[in-house]
Amino acid sequence: MRAVLASAAALVLAGPVHGAPSSPVPPPISVTADVMNIDAVSRVVTAAGRVSISDGVITATAQRATLYQREGRGVLSGDARATGPQGVLKGAEMTITYAARAITRLAARGQASLESKNLTIVAGTVTMFLADDSVTA
């Protein structure tokens, strides 16, 4: 089964929630775009036009994205950028890794840069590991 959503389409990527949480649970990751195609069998989402993926802390944007829900991985292309507390990560293409409720890793390639208020890093690839707040370039 294949569904096509258009015109400010929205999708929420959520995994199963087990048991009652002991602390407030963050909202699931949300995806918005002008056009989205969702393949329910393969669990692959393709999005185009003003794509935005957010976990409430990090927001990644691009012109196009393909999300592989089974793998918890997405590839963004066309002026890819991610904004969060660490700064702004930019690249021609960006791969994100996510769990049901959080973006966990961002890797920008092609004229990649990370700009924060204290420093700027420019390299072929810049990777941010959000769990331990580290960066490799």
Side-chain angles (χ1 to χ4, degrees):
M1 175 181 189
R2 189 176 196 83
V4 178
L5 304 175
S7 197
L11 171 72
V12 175
L13 303 178
V17 177
H18 304 285
S22 57
S23 61
V25 176
I29 293 175
S30 67
V31 181
T32 60
D34 290 336
V35 177
M36 257 192 276
N37 294 315
I38 304 166
D39 187 320
V41 175
S42 67
R43 297 188 60 204
V44 173
V45 176
T46 56
R50 296 181 297 183
V51 177
S52 177
I53 302 168
S54 180
D55 65 1
V57 177
I58 303 288
T59 299
T61 60
Q63 291 303 308
R64 293 168 301 285
T66 303
L67 302 170
Y68 304 91
Q69 291 181 288
R70 286 190 177 128
E71 300 171 24
R73 179 177 65 89
V75 179
L76 290 76
S77 59
D79 194 27
R81 121 187 334 238
T83 304
Q86 299 86 349
V88 178
L89 180 65
K90 298 178 191 175
E93 181 180 276
M94 186 177 304
T95 300
I96 66 169
T97 305
Y98 57 88
R101 299 187 181 279
I103 295 171
T104 57
R105 180 179 166 275
L106 299 157
R109 285 176 294 290
Q111 299 175 330
S113 67
L114 173 62
E115 298 174 26
S116 71
K117 57 183 167 183
N118 297 328
L119 73 121
T120 299
I121 299 170
V122 178
T125 301
V126 177
T127 304
M128 295 174 57
F129 300 90
L130 302 171
D132 63 5
D133 202 24
S134 65
V135 175
T136 61

